[in-house]
Amino acid sequence: MDTIEGGNGRPCVMVVAFEGWNDAGGAASDAARLLATEFDAQRFATIGEDDYYDYQFSRPSVRRNAAGQRIVHWPATRLYRAALKDHDFDLILVRGVEPTYRWKAFCAELLTLAEANGVKALVLTGALLADTPHTRPIPVTRTSEHDELRAILKAEPSSYEGPTGIVGVLAALAAAAGVPTVSAWAAVPHYVGQSPSPKATYALMRHLEDLLHLSLDLHALSEDADAWERGVDELAADDEEIGEYVKQLEEAQDAADLPEASGESIAREFERYLKRRDQGRDDGRTDGA
């Protein structure tokens, strides 16, 4: 573990995303990256590369720095801290590549770092390929094994059984260590599961905004999501089989989502609108008014 900078004593919420099996369309890792940018998060620790990665599986990449020098960028897990001036907690953002080896040791090291930096809760993000249409809002599932968190956050216990990734292992070990943990997973349309998937990233960001009571500027991401959807519309229009399949998915989801058109869901959307409008006024913007 390479510790670069210490904490400041404030309690933290840790938001975690890993590239790989847990991250269809790159939606979760892109959400973590955007959060880091939004709050000018500073890297303070790196979990060692050679201990956990098979470089024939997770290959390093070569890049050029600002001086034009070739730099090898190794797969690793990096931690960033973001100060939230208007909240009584800070964010610690974890971005990395799913490790190849020694998952229990990896999670123990990450949880040790979390404890040393005042982390009081974990938010684990992920994305999976699913039978959902690109033309509808991307579903995000919120689950937790912590009774109190489920009541506060209106989460459900996970019913999934089967193979899991590092996010699932970390959730189980964090719960065993007594760290309150909630997971948020976006459902990416499987027929367009390539990265990037801005509509899925947008759905996760909206979910994190609600979960953590943040106010985020998502205008540019919303435009990217609209452009992505138009592109997939064109693909479906040019392929009769895909177009018919999308129509079937739309009908199935619309039937399942009818109860969501409730007074509570409408009130949540109106709350978000007011929050963004007030933030726009505070920042001197007029686009949300």
Side-chain angles (χ1 to χ4, degrees):
M1 178 178 66
D2 173 23
T3 300
I4 297 170
E5 177 185 311
N8 61 10
R10 276 163 56 88
C12 294
V13 173
M14 178 179 277
V15 179
V16 181
F18 288 99
E19 298 175 17
W21 190 87
N22 318 268
D23 194 22
S29 52
D30 281 348
R33 176 181 55 80
L34 289 171
L35 274 178
T37 301
E38 175 87 9
F39 295 108
D40 191 27
Q42 301 299 309
R43 182 165 65 99
F44 71 91
T46 301
I47 295 182
E49 300 95 335
D50 290 343
D51 290 338
Y52 302 113
Y53 292 99
D54 177 350
Y55 296 135
Q56 289 187 326
F57 180 75
S58 300
R59 289 189 176 272
S61 58
V62 176
R63 303 176 185 175
R64 292 193 181 274
N65 62 16
Q69 298 171 315
R70 287 166 60 86
I71 303 295
V72 177
H73 186 79
W74 298 93
T77 296
R78 298 175 176 87
L79 287 78
Y80 303 79
R81 189 172 190 127
L84 302 184
K85 297 178 181 177
D86 298 328
H87 292 72
D88 57 3
F89 65 92
D90 288 345
L91 286 180
I92 288 181
L93 304 170
V94 178
R95 293 169 50 202
V97 179
E98 183 177 63
T100 316
Y101 306 121
R102 303 176 60 223
W103 281 18
K104 289 187 283 187
F106 176 90
C107 290
E109 189 168 343
L110 184 54
L111 290 172
T112 298
L113 269 172
E115 183 180 10
N117 284 272
V119 169
K120 304 303 181 185
L122 293 184
V123 179
L124 306 177
T125 63
L128 71 161
L129 298 177
D131 292 329
T132 186
H134 73 280
T135 53
R136 299 295 185 264
I138 297 291
V140 177
T141 303
R142 182 186 300 185
T143 62
S144 178
E145 298 304 309
H146 191 277
D147 292 340
E148 188 176 352
L149 272 188
R150 282 206 305 272
I152 294 172
L153 301 177
K154 298 180 180 178
E156 299 291 334
S158 175
S159 60
Y160 175 76
E161 294 182 346
T164 190
I166 192 64
V167 171
V169 172
L170 181 58
L173 294 179
V179 182
T181 302
V182 61
S183 297
W185 283 71
V188 178
H190 70 86
Y191 54 93
V192 280
Q194 303 91 339
S195 179
S197 185
K199 190 168 181 178
T201 301
Y202 178 76
L204 271 177
M205 292 291 280
R206 288 287 302 272
H207 200 82
L208 291 170
E209 185 179 46
D210 180 64
L211 191 65
L212 299 171
H213 302 287
L214 302 175
S215 186
L216 304 172
D217 182 4
L218 301 178
H219 180 71
L221 181 58
S222 177
E223 289 186 340
D224 289 345
D226 290 342
W228 176 87
E229 184 172 334
R230 289 193 297 271
V232 183
D233 284 343
E234 293 174 4
L235 172 69
D238 291 339
D239 188 312
E240 185 176 343
E241 187 175 347
I242 292 179
E244 182 59 32
Y245 180 62
V246 171
K247 184 178 179 182
Q248 293 174 10
L249 291 177
E250 288 174 338
E251 291 172 352
Q253 184 158 322
D254 289 347
D257 286 350
L258 282 175
E260 284 298 312
S262 64
E264 184 178 347
S265 64
I266 293 170
R268 283 199 305 269
E269 291 302 313
F270 188 61
E271 251 181 49
R272 290 193 181 104
Y273 161 76
L274 291 177
K275 186 185 297 183
R276 287 201 181 86
R277 185 191 65 177
D278 292 342
Q279 184 194 28
R281 288 175 175 171
D282 292 342
D283 295 343
R285 298 195 302 264
T286 60
D287 55 309

